[in-house]
Amino acid sequence: MTEILIQKAYKEIEKYRNKVINDSYRLDYHLMPPVGLLNDPNGLIQFKGVYHVFYQWNPFDTAHGAKFWGHFTSEDMVHWREEPIALAPSEWYEINGCYSGSAVEADGKLYLFYTGNVKQEDGTRETYQCLAVSEDGIHFEKHGPVLRLPEQYTAHFRDPKVWKKDENWYMVVGAQTLDEKGIAVLFHSKDLYHWEEAGPIAGSGMNGLEDFGYMWECPDLIHLNGKDVLLVSPQGLEPDGDFYHNLFESGYFTGELDLESVKFQHGPFTELDRGFDFYAPQTFTNESGRTILYAWMGITDEQEAYQPTIANHWVHALTIPRELELHHGKILQKPVEELKKLRKDHEVVEGNICEGISMELLVDFEKAGPFEISFRNEAYLKFDSDKFTLKRRNFKTGEFEKRSCKIASVSKLQILMDHSSLEIFVNDGEEVFTARYFPNPEDVTISIQGDVEFTWTKWNLG
């Protein structure tokens, strides 16, 4: 059955190849599905010197369904190869989807941990944390479930992230309690095949946190600058001032995790991205010790079905890779250095107007009063005394919508534009706005207006 599913997926790629590659909104330097729908990044790792990015993929539709794991590899995070399909939902324990998970290296082999999703005819769900192993990083042998659902959680129990500390392996899983509260649960193992629950480490009603969503997805426990940081994507948060205006959120808690007592003392939740399209982030540590993040540049909301790329049989992309650093308890994000290889046609822009579609802009402010940047007359970034606001057109209604955040001052913007995406890094990644947008392909004008003195530099990217 596995081979049949995989061949069906490849036929979909061939069927729509020309429509996909000729779409004017296709991106130049982001990872995208060859056809169908992409969502969460999975299994991020540098294995035997090669970067691997797996991703949730439905090759048969531009909607969510029984997910495969698509697969890209690279030597430099700039030039990518599309690899054979890594996982297809062919077995009883994953028949409705090989859901999100992570990768580790052990004994020279690549281990993929993922959630097997099963939906019964009566509408109930089963969930299994599963393992697949590879000698070469390309071809995987499934070993089936290694962790079944503990009785104290609902079947919303998924997205295992695995790491090693000292002689033990650890896994954190996103979960929902029986009273429908979001939570992150820790497990440990000696051999990667047999897992025992250590206990919940964070969630609604824990560590001073009040009600904080009905489900926590895609947990990721990392160590930055001497602190433990739990990344998580809570579902069910209500808007609060400038916060939590997307359907689902992604952010982090910073603190100290005691693995012996299973206690994670942490501070408040901080959003990772202030834009429209950022969800399910995952990190890995590369061989030089940098912590690098990818996220899904999209979200499952009511606008999803109205994106114009759907007419050409594909939807969504991943963000660029971002290096994370922790300063004074706050994560700073910046594009990885390797992306500078994409730069060409360096230009110091004269005046307040430039042109481009796929490019990088560096804006350095000598004086920054109120200003507005127009991106191809389809998205607008505004700064007014102490607040940044990004506006773009709603895909469903055509009306403008906005996302905002407070910031004391602005000294620098680094903006990476692609044919239908914006990633805006404020003050060396103090805040980030990520968005898809769909301008008129003929409109290539970017302008800055306002009470500002600045210099700006441009590179075409590709």
Side-chain angles (χ1 to χ4, degrees):
M1 182 176 176
T2 301
E3 193 58 36
I4 293 172
L5 274 174
I6 288 173
Q7 289 309 313
K8 284 180 64 179
Y10 287 141
K11 285 179 181 177
E12 287 293 297
I13 294 174
E14 288 304 315
K15 182 178 179 181
Y16 295 113
R17 184 181 299 277
N18 288 337
K19 292 200 77 170
V20 169
I21 64 176
N22 290 316
D23 189 338
S24 59
Y25 294 127
R26 198 77 173 156
L27 301 164
D28 276 344
Y29 55 91
H30 290 80
L31 295 176
M32 302 166 289
V35 73
L37 178 143
L38 167 151
N39 56 304
D40 306 1
N42 295 155
L44 306 181
I45 194 169
Q46 189 178 13
F47 174 66
K48 298 181 179 179
V50 176
Y51 291 102
H52 293 255
V53 172
F54 303 86
Y55 61 93
Q56 291 282 277
W57 179 39
N58 181 3
F60 304 122
D61 197 357
T62 49
H64 296 270
K67 300 293 173 61
F68 291 58
W69 275 37
H71 187 195
F72 292 104
T73 61
S74 173
E75 273 73 41
D76 60 3
M77 291 187 287
V78 177
H79 305 93
W80 292 91
R81 291 182 301 276
E82 191 176 322
E83 298 289 1
I85 292 167
L87 300 174
S90 59
E91 308 303 320
W92 65 267
Y93 49 80
E94 58 183 16
I95 199 69
N96 297 110
C98 299
Y99 277 12
S100 291
S102 58
V104 295
E105 180 178 358
D107 305 320
K109 300 176 184 178
L110 182 58
Y111 289 71
L112 300 185
F113 290 87
Y114 65 100
T115 298
N117 181 50
V118 178
K119 296 178 182 177
Q120 300 292 359
E121 291 184 3
D122 63 2
T124 59
R125 182 192 296 260
E126 295 175 3
T127 181
Y128 304 92
Q129 310 317 306
C130 305
L131 173 63
V133 183
S134 174
E135 300 270 359
D136 61 4
I138 305 298
H139 306 94
F140 291 88
E141 178 186 354
K142 293 177 181 176
H143 290 256
V146 294
L147 176 63
R148 296 183 182 241
L149 177 64
E151 61 183 13
Q152 62 269 41
Y153 307 110
T154 76
H156 291 289
F157 182 86
R158 53 185 175 265
D159 312 332
K161 179 67 187 294
V162 177
W163 72 98
K164 189 176 187 181
K165 184 173 183 182
D166 300 326
E167 297 305 311
N168 290 315
W169 292 96
Y170 295 92
M171 175 194 293
V172 64
V173 180
Q176 183 186 67
T177 62
L178 296 179
D179 58 351
E180 298 186 354
K181 306 294 185 185
I183 201 164
V185 187
L186 185 68
F187 297 81
H188 56 83
S189 173
K190 293 290 187 183
D191 62 3
L192 294 172
Y193 288 86
H194 304 89
W195 293 87
E196 296 181 9
E197 182 175 354
I201 58 170
S204 293
M206 296 180 62
N207 310 324
L209 194 65
E210 296 180 352
D211 187 22
F212 208 74
Y214 60 79
M215 172 63 190
W216 283 16
E217 292 194 310
C218 303
D220 188 353
L221 201 290
I222 61 176
H223 198 70
L224 290 175
N225 197 23
K227 292 289 186 180
D228 296 310
V229 181
L230 176 66
L231 279 64
V232 70
S233 295
Q235 298 181 324
L237 303 186
E238 294 296 327
D240 181 11
D242 291 329
F243 300 104
Y244 316 148
H245 285 272
N246 293 333
L247 177 62
F248 304 135
E249 312 303 329
S250 294
Y252 62 94
F253 300 94
T254 301
E256 303 285 344
L257 175 62
D258 186 328
L259 290 168
E260 295 299 319
S261 63
V262 197
K263 300 287 187 185
F264 180 47
Q265 299 299 324
H266 61 72
F269 182 77
T270 304
E271 285 182 286
L272 270 164
D273 194 286
R274 310 309 297 269
F276 299 91
D277 296 291
F278 183 96
Y279 192 66
Q282 187 178 116
T283 71
F284 70 103
T285 302
N286 77 345
E287 291 170 0
S288 65
R290 293 181 293 158
T291 300
I292 296 168
L293 175 146
Y294 281 86
W296 173 24
M297 193 159 58
I299 197 151
T300 306
D301 62 14
E302 63 175 5
Q303 292 194 53
E304 186 179 41
Y306 294 87
Q307 294 201 29
T309 66
I310 285 175
N312 291 314
H313 301 278
W314 72 281
V315 67
H316 298 312
L318 297 182
T319 66
I320 59 168
R322 306 171 181 186
E323 183 176 353
L324 304 187
E325 296 178 351
L326 189 70
H327 289 273
H328 306 294
K330 184 176 178 62
I331 287 180
L332 304 185
Q333 304 173 64
K334 61 182 180 181
V336 296
E337 284 290 311
E338 287 86 342
L339 293 179
K340 290 180 179 178
K341 295 178 183 178
L342 292 167
R343 290 175 173 177
K344 56 187 180 183
D345 307 322
H346 174 264
E347 178 186 350
V348 178
V349 180
E350 300 291 336
N352 67 332
I353 296 175
C354 74
E355 293 186 345
I357 291 176
S358 176
M359 64 181 184
E360 179 180 354
L361 294 170
L362 287 182
V363 187
D364 291 294
F365 294 94
E366 292 136 34
K367 171 191 171 186
F371 68 85
E372 183 174 84
I373 303 178
S374 169
F375 298 100
R376 304 172 66 193
N377 293 296
E378 187 67 20
Y380 301 87
L381 182 70
K382 182 178 181 180
F383 176 69
D384 189 359
S385 67
D386 67 346
K387 180 179 277 196
F388 262 103
T389 299
L390 179 66
K391 295 195 304 180
R392 66 124 190 242
R393 207 177 301 275
N394 184 290
F395 310 145
K396 180 179 178 181
T397 68
E399 301 296 321
F400 277 100
E401 56 186 347
K402 66 182 181 180
R403 297 289 183 269
S404 300
C405 74
K406 295 277 191 180
I407 195 163
S409 62
V410 58
S411 60
K412 179 180 179 182
L413 296 176
Q414 183 177 11
I415 302 165
L416 280 87
M417 299 175 54
D418 211 332
H419 288 252
S420 56
S421 71
L422 291 168
E423 289 165 273
I424 301 166
F425 298 81
V426 183
N427 295 346
D428 292 311
E430 178 184 348
E431 298 287 357
V432 186
F433 288 82
T434 300
R436 297 297 302 279
Y437 76 135
F438 299 98
N440 182 335
E442 304 300 318
D443 191 332
V444 297
T445 302
I446 297 90
S447 64
I448 302 180
Q449 306 289 341
D451 183 21
V452 285
E453 295 175 9
F454 63 94
T455 57
W456 56 338
T457 307
K458 167 192 164 186
W459 294 268
N460 291 321
L461 300 180

